[in-house]
Amino acid sequence: MTTNLFTNVVMVHAPADEVTKILADPKHLLQWVPEISTVDQGQNGFIIKRDQTALNQSELIKVTITAGEITYTSTQGRLEYRLVFTVTSQNDQSVIQEDLYLPDDTDRHLPIKLLAPIAKHAFHTNLIHLGALVELITTEKGR
């Protein structure tokens, strides 16, 4: 069982397939999550390392793609989570929604209620960076 810790949403002027393409390859995280320093393909997923202090200094991300959803499942960090991106088209824009889920058996020594608003803000900032990246790539392709 899991608990939805928060939801963030942004709208971008780009096709949903472009958003999905960027999310499907975690190596793009280097372009929209500033604190990530390396993304290496491992045997069981992508090994993410941060050069700034973070709850998960390093973690293993597995990517699952289904119709309209890209899921990052993080393990091997201090806080395991599942980040689900839902991408939908609306007029000439795409809506990107991210939902962060924590396992119900998450380490209760972590102050989750205190961390939630900080994490929500940080993830939202990164989601805005993702939107800007997708729009930039889409604009460059249109030239």
Side-chain angles (χ1 to χ4, degrees):
M1 209 60 184
T2 59
T3 302
N4 183 332
L5 193 63
F6 61 78
T7 299
N8 287 319
V9 178
V10 296
M11 291 187 77
V12 296
H13 295 281
D17 63 329
E18 285 295 326
V19 176
T20 300
K21 198 181 317 179
I22 289 171
L23 286 170
D25 183 358
K27 291 188 178 182
H28 286 291
L29 285 166
L30 292 165
Q31 297 172 284
W32 59 277
V33 182
E35 64 270 8
I36 291 179
S37 56
T38 62
V39 177
D40 294 316
Q41 174 79 54
Q43 189 173 359
N44 298 317
F46 292 85
I47 301 154
I48 311 292
K49 295 195 188 273
R50 291 172 177 78
D51 58 3
Q52 298 175 9
T53 302
L55 194 57
N56 285 350
Q57 203 67 40
S58 67
E59 60 191 310
L60 178 70
I61 300 272
K62 291 181 184 174
V63 180
T64 309
I65 302 165
T66 58
E69 262 187 21
I70 300 91
T71 301
Y72 290 5
T73 303
S74 172
T75 58
Q76 300 181 12
R78 284 178 56 199
L79 181 65
E80 294 190 353
Y81 62 88
R82 197 168 42 98
L83 185 61
V84 179
F85 295 95
T86 307
V87 183
T88 54
S89 296
Q90 188 173 342
N91 301 324
D92 294 343
Q93 298 180 334
S94 293
V95 177
I96 309 168
Q97 176 176 317
E98 67 178 1
D99 291 281
L100 185 81
Y101 296 92
L102 298 181
D104 286 340
D105 62 354
T106 297
D107 182 356
R108 297 298 170 208
H109 291 67
L110 293 172
I112 299 300
K113 287 196 185 288
L114 294 174
L115 291 173
I118 297 165
K120 179 178 171 74
H121 176 75
F123 275 77
H124 187 251
T125 299
N126 291 337
L127 192 61
I128 291 168
H129 292 160
L130 169 64
L133 174 66
V134 173
E135 288 180 345
L136 177 67
I137 289 171
T138 301
T139 302
E140 287 176 354
K141 282 185 176 181
R143 289 184 186 165

